[in-house]
Amino acid sequence: MKITEQAGERHVLAVQVDNEPGILAKITGLFTARGYNIDSLTVADITEDHAISRITIVTRGPPEVIDQIQAQLERLIPVHRVTDLTEEGPHVERELALVKVTGTGEKRVEALRLADIFRARPVDTTTESFIFEITGSPEKVDSFIALMRELGLVEVGRTGVVGMMRGAARA
């Protein structure tokens, strides 16, 4: 099966599930079976007794396909709740990235200057390289990475998007 870039809107889905073996495979299989890609996927245990996990999925598709995916996710037995943060209203999205940049002289100075502007902090430094830690919206992380490409970008590691509804509402 070939997974292709689908036209449509970007959606952030928050899925609360029982923390059990195989649930992530079931959920990702739902997307794969329909030929839709997952742009970002994060999973975290969210209860003290480790019984419930929250899966945050970023995907793209027409509204009717997203609605279908959401309905099919809700039918899975270990799924407690599915919330489309994009449809629910104002929400906050954040991502963390580690960005390794090499360079000397002016390029090194410029990398430090840009990191300061983006509030990225160096977490490792040698005479030839930096590893910066940056958190923020996916767009902010993308912009920082694009600028670092011109200065000697070597490697990028990203956590994926996490999101929450603004205010007292719960996803």
Side-chain angles (χ1 to χ4, degrees), residues 11-82:
H11 287 263
V12 179
L13 305 175
V15 185
Q16 288 188 10
V17 300
D18 287 337
N19 192 3
E20 62 182 43
I23 184 60
L24 188 58
K26 285 181 187 178
I27 289 173
T28 57
L30 239 161
F31 285 81
T32 304
R34 282 146 194 82
Y36 279 85
N37 195 26
I38 294 174
D39 294 341
S40 172
L41 177 74
T42 58
V43 182
D45 176 3
I46 61 169
T47 57
E48 194 172 322
D49 64 357
H50 309 288
I52 307 286
S53 288
R54 177 185 171 124
I55 301 172
T56 305
I57 302 168
V58 179
T59 191
R60 294 180 188 279
E64 58 275 1
V65 172
I66 300 298
D67 290 343
Q68 179 188 34
I69 288 172
Q70 188 172 351
Q72 290 171 344
L73 283 170
E74 288 169 344
R75 276 184 272 209
L76 291 175
I77 297 300
V79 173
H80 294 273
R81 180 186 322 180
V82 179

